[in-house]
Amino acid sequence: MRMSSCVKNLALDSAFQGAVRQVFQFNQNQLRYAYIYTFGCQMNVHESEIFTGILMECGYLQAGSPEQADVILINTCCIREHAEQKILGLLGTLRELKEKKPELIIGLCGCMTQQRHFSEKIRSRFPYVDIVLGTNAADKLPEAVLKALTEQGKAKKTVFLEENDNSILENAPTARARSVTSWLTIMYGCNNFCTYCIVPYVRGRERSRDSNAILSEAQQLVKEGTKEITLLGQNVNSYGKELNESFAHLLRQMNQIDGLERIRFMTSHPKDISDEVIDAFAQCGKVCEHLHLPLQSGSSRILQAMNRHYDAEKYWKIVEKLRTAQPKIEISTDIIVGFPGETEEDFQQTLEFVERMRYSFAFMFAFSPRKGTKAADMEGQVPNEVKKERLQRLIELQNQISTQISRDYIGKTVEILSEGFCAQDEEEAHSAKDPLLQVGRTRTNKKVYFSCEEDTQGKLLQMDITNSATVTLNGKVVNR
Ligand code: 5AD
Ligand code: SF4
């Protein structure tokens, strides 16, 4: 059964606004800084933009480093054990900062905090953490900071770990990292309960934002310089079911926004891709020719155990339809290896499927048991060495395919949307010490690096592709 959601409009919320004002007054006359660590998916990246926006309303400036900060927030992820380990390690290193600067406020928010066993661990192992906010509690941040500021040394711990509610934030202050490409959340939560996945337990049930609120936020973003919007949700294809709305209709409305050049969306569940969405995909000129369509496994038997509601054949048919409707489409995916009960034969089916599909890119993971999910307690857990070895084989195959697909771009001319000069870390990752290095993306979502004196941020450019790596391209600007 679907439930109706309640809207928390932060612009009109007197408790929120009151706490913001009080923190602002508390910090008046001094420069205060905030630093946010973000782990996890695009939803988290975007939510950190909201946490940043809220802290800026409270009078904090963005710190260049954690050492400079008066507030440090860790936006956590718990999708795999690896993410959790990294966060626990980080918390350990922050202890030193806290010892040097006892007035430093350390807060945790995001998915990991929503698990009981984790918050208990925080209480016992990391007592210097001041704030713990469950998911969906960004509106409580100013109140929590205020409490940590005013009750320092006494009631240090401010815990707002609430059961998942079904509310939706509207009009939250947001400090977006880039203006050319923006994230826009259209729905929260997930109803699917894939047996390996913790998300429905920590993010609650699906609830969609009102389409008018989405469209007016999109229009506002375009006014501020956004050229490309990525619509976000755990399962965007089921957008609006409880509102009698549909994702296909939303795409068509978005496609009419003047000044918006490109639309992307993620993530799509194959079971919910309707023919209407495929038609909208093909017919809306602004919707880019790239789709992220998680496969998870090429074995129908494993897909069933994962509770995915499709088999390999059905997935293949959806992709055929997509490729017929939009021949230029490139598809990327997520795959898990070593799900409980996965035999070598099941894994071979995944390899064969991947070979046949020719994904442009794939996120590939070893199954990580998550406490509270069905798969964590299933029989037939695959030993770690086997998972690792399968993952390695899959990565090798996918890398060959990605490399071939990238190589096919050489000599072609493609349109990119420039994001301007690369940040230094990106320059280094690209192993180029070129101060003029800029980056943009093709409509098919491939990164193209190029050198250019003039800042091209926000421009649509024609690029001659001159070289390629596994998933990225190099090019030269033409026709300028
Ligand atoms: N173990 C490994 N990978 C997982 N994912 C989700 N849960 C798990 C898990 N327990 C992967 C899925 C999903 C992506 C976001 O993370 O492939 O699509
Ligand atoms: Fe997790 Fe499945 Fe929901 Fe995706 S669709 S968030 S994998 S439960």
Side-chain angles (χ1 to χ4, degrees), residues 249-287:
H249 185 228
L250 182 68
L251 279 181
R252 290 186 188 279
Q253 287 173 299
M254 288 286 301
N255 196 51
Q256 282 169 12
I257 296 179
D258 282 340
L260 181 62
E261 302 282 357
R262 292 175 166 194
I263 301 165
R264 303 185 189 276
F265 53 88
M266 69 186 311
T267 292
S268 292
H269 195 308
K271 80 174 168 56
D272 291 313
I273 288 213
S274 61
D275 288 349
E276 287 75 30
V277 169
I278 296 177
D279 287 346
F281 194 91
Q283 290 160 8
C284 294
K286 294 180 184 180
V287 175

Side-chain angles (χ1 to χ4, degrees), residues 117 152 171 294 299 353 384 441 479:
H117 67 95
Q152 237 177 57
N171 289 318
S299 154
F353 200 88
N384 276 339
R441 279 179 193 269
N479 293 341

Side-chain angles (χ1 to χ4, degrees), residues 190-194 196-200 234-235 269 296 308:
C190 181
N191 287 356
N192 290 313
F193 291 95
C194 302
Y196 51 80
C197 188
I198 192 78
V199 168
Q234 251 81 38
N235 179 16
H269 195 308
Q296 310 301 3
R308 290 290 289 176

Side-chain angles (χ1 to χ4, degrees), residues 35 48 268:
Y35 190 88
S48 284
S268 292

Side-chain angles (χ1 to χ4, degrees), residues 12 39-40 46 126 137 174 187 189 228 235 237 345 362 381 414 442:
L12 307 173
F39 293 85
H46 180 45
F126 308 100
T174 309
M187 63 187 301
E228 175 181 304
N235 179 16
N237 292 291
E345 199 186 326
Q381 297 287 329
V414 292
T442 64

Side-chain angles (χ1 to χ4, degrees), residues 76-81 83-85 87-88 108-123 132-135 159-164 196-203 368-373 376:
T76 62
C77 169
C78 59
I79 197 123
R80 281 171 294 277
E81 194 185 348
E84 284 194 347
Q85 292 304 341
I87 291 158
L88 295 176
L108 282 171
C109 54
C111 294
M112 200 171 164
T113 62
Q114 202 64 51
Q115 304 169 97
R116 291 257 168 255
H117 67 95
F118 173 72
S119 46
E120 276 151 23
K121 200 183 270 181
I122 290 297
R123 222 162 282 152
V132 180
L133 289 182
T135 59
V159 181
F160 275 109
L161 191 68
E162 298 183 346
E163 285 305 310
N164 272 329
Y196 51 80
C197 188
I198 192 78
V199 168
Y201 302 93
V202 295
R203 292 228 167 234
S368 171
R370 305 284 66 211
K371 206 171 176 172
T373 62

Side-chain angles (χ1 to χ4, degrees), residues 277-379:
V277 169
I278 296 177
D279 287 346
F281 194 91
Q283 290 160 8
C284 294
K286 294 180 184 180
V287 175
C288 290
E289 293 86 5
H290 168 247
L291 185 70
H292 189 70
L293 194 65
L295 168 70
Q296 310 301 3
S297 171
S299 154
S300 297
R301 201 179 69 81
I302 296 295
L303 285 170
Q304 194 175 13
M306 288 175 161
N307 192 31
R308 290 290 289 176
H309 296 281
Y310 58 83
D311 59 17
E313 207 40 49
K314 183 165 171 207
Y315 183 103
W316 180 258
K317 289 217 168 99
I318 293 166
V319 172
E320 269 185 337
K321 267 194 205 169
L322 280 160
R323 285 182 169 154
T324 307
Q326 177 48 274
K328 289 190 207 146
I329 193 173
E330 282 191 12
I331 298 173
S332 57
T333 201
D334 294 344
I335 299 174
I336 299 175
V337 303
F339 184 82
E342 185 189 74
T343 60
E344 176 60 26
E345 199 186 326
D346 292 313
F347 177 64
Q348 282 297 336
Q349 288 176 12
T350 298
L351 291 178
E352 279 160 27
F353 200 88
V354 163
E355 186 133 33
R356 205 166 134 217
M357 266 296 308
R358 302 191 61 74
Y359 292 110
S360 60
F361 178 76
F363 293 105
M364 295 162 277
F365 313 104
F367 169 70
S368 171
R370 305 284 66 211
K371 206 171 176 172
T373 62
K374 277 196 181 155
D377 296 326
M378 282 180 184
E379 289 186 359

